[in-house]
Amino acid sequence: MTNRVPPTLPAAVDESRQWARLMGMAMLGEIPGDGVDRAALTLLDRQARRLLIEWATEAGLTVSVDEMNNLFLRHEGLEPGAAPVLTGSHMDSQPNGGRFDGIWGVVAALEAVQAIRDAGLTTRRPIEVVAWTNEEGGRFAPGCMGSMAWSGHSASTTWDGVADLHGTTFRAALEEQMAAEADLPRRPLGPVGAARPSAYIEAHIEQGPLLEADMLDIGVVTGIQGSRWFVVDVAGRSDHAGTAPVSLRQDAVQEMVRIVNALNTLTHDPADVLRFTVGRVEVHPNTSNSVADRVRFTIDLRHPDADILREKGDAIAGTVQAALRHCTATVTERFTAMPTAFQELVPDAVEAAAEALGLRSLRMASGAFHDAQFLVPVCPSGMIFVPSRGGISHHPSEYTSPEQLAAGTRVLAATVWDLANR
């Protein structure tokens, strides 16, 4: 790679254009503190997609969508029938999210392809920019529905009945979105025929502190730790807060507290590698002077070792039942992704591109899950990380500088150009 990066390519990455596009996207769902709330399959999501499509068509790319609303923007290669290089990320955000998580990977992929074209370069293989549907899982859980369905990990109907906080199901929201985009050309779902990629690469902010702490430019991602998501439903009985003796209550909130304390004991890790999170709690009737009769809460469990993830995850249901005193509870596992190691092709190409561009890099694993995790069975896959200020993400203060983002996009452009000419 060292002698293969065309000298015109890095200069063709337009830092100002990329930043302006990111800030334009950030206006769609803007919340106080420089944050973004742009949920999947909403009007704001559609507006963001139309803006992306406008930029892509102006750059000469063609557009298509599949039945999961995954959006593809295609740069044609000298051999149109060759397996394409796929690159992209997601456009949805967390409800209290930042301006860079996910969306930079899509904007960077478009910028990389546009830089290749602006530099007057050709590629043997086509390149397709992809925006995956519902990666975050903030509105419809779990995340990565688009990439899971596309890769064959799960059937496209798996989440039809999953509802958001307002009762809208994923299937209803998906059909509404597809109807609003009925003018866009359709393509089959999945890596079918010539749509099967030769490689996949995803650019993303690190969402952690390592690159910034070590004053490094690029993270060469080698794999992604595993995740298991659960929902716990606690059923008790509602009573008057002033008249019902505490000893006779079936208080679902107090039961939840006992369960969470027991789970904290189960998941305690002196090495601080295991991640246990209760991120969403729903209480009924949710009034200040009533004992709660129902509580639903989520569990997010993560670890890079499959055996530990399996052992701790399998113990959750029993731990919940053992903690109960006055209520009943059910535990439902709704998402599982075992730890993933990327094949060497893409990480090696990323590392070589960073070296050729004089950037300091680090091989590292990802603590967050990404769509790239589900591409591994389909084709050689990998990711590029750039630093996150303070390691902060999923928060309005999430920040990466224009210069750092441009450096990551130059590595992405060089890597995609390399892979597309193999």
Side-chain angles (χ1 to χ4, degrees), residues 3 58 245 401 412:
N3 298 319
E58 287 174 354
S401 73
L412 178 64

Side-chain angles (χ1 to χ4, degrees), residues 398-413:
E398 169 185 285
Y399 184 78
T400 302
S401 73
E403 297 81 11
Q404 290 169 320
L405 295 170
T409 303
R410 291 187 181 102
V411 173
L412 178 64

Side-chain angles (χ1 to χ4, degrees), residues 376-395:
V376 170
V378 176
C379 63
S381 303
M383 297 187 70
I384 296 170
F385 279 173
V386 292
S388 295
R389 185 174 66 187
I392 296 172
S393 186
H394 286 188
H395 188 271

Side-chain angles (χ1 to χ4, degrees), residues 11-56:
V13 171
D14 191 326
E15 178 182 314
S16 298
R17 177 173 61 193
Q18 175 172 256
W19 184 259
R21 286 175 171 174
L22 283 169
M23 295 306 100
M25 285 291 183
M27 294 176 65
L28 299 172
E30 182 179 13
I31 59 176
D34 292 329
V36 174
D37 179 1
R38 187 174 56 244
L41 305 179
T42 60
L43 176 60
L44 287 170
D45 185 24
R46 289 192 284 278
Q47 290 172 343
R49 288 160 64 88
R50 288 294 180 178
L51 185 56
L52 179 70
I53 289 169
E54 178 184 331
W55 295 332

Side-chain angles (χ1 to χ4, degrees), residues 1-10 116 121-125 345 348-349 352-353 355-357 410 413-422:
M1 166 69 82
T2 303
N3 298 319
R4 294 194 62 211
V5 177
T8 56
L9 182 54
I116 290 170
L121 302 173
T122 57
T123 61
R124 183 174 76 85
R125 299 181 182 276
L345 174 68
D348 284 353
E355 180 183 356
L357 294 170
R410 291 187 181 102
T415 304
V416 167
W417 181 83
D418 174 32
L419 294 173
N421 281 295
R422 295 194 183 196

Side-chain angles (χ1 to χ4, degrees), residues 296-360:
R296 165 175 282 201
F297 66 94
T298 62
I299 296 170
D300 184 317
L301 186 72
R302 307 190 191 203
H303 200 280
D305 186 304
D307 290 338
I308 294 175
L309 184 66
R310 192 175 292 111
E311 174 194 348
K312 296 297 184 181
D314 290 350
I316 282 177
T319 301
V320 169
Q321 296 302 323
L324 295 172
R325 296 292 180 270
H326 308 293
C327 300
T328 61
T330 59
V331 179
T332 304
E333 185 166 4
R334 61 180 180 178
F335 174 74
T336 303
M338 286 293 110
T340 299
F342 293 138
Q343 304 95 318
E344 288 299 317
L345 174 68
V346 177
D348 284 353
V350 172
E351 189 172 54
E355 180 183 356
L357 294 170
L359 299 170
R360 298 158 296 176

Side-chain angles (χ1 to χ4, degrees), residues 11 38 107 170 176 210 234 296 331 393:
R38 187 174 56 244
V107 171
F170 174 77
E176 180 182 5
L210 297 181
V234 183
R296 165 175 282 201
V331 179
S393 186

Side-chain angles (χ1 to χ4, degrees), residues 177-192:
Q177 183 105 329
M178 295 297 285
E181 297 182 345
D183 59 309
L184 300 180
R186 301 294 175 88
R187 63 189 283 158
L189 177 67
V192 180

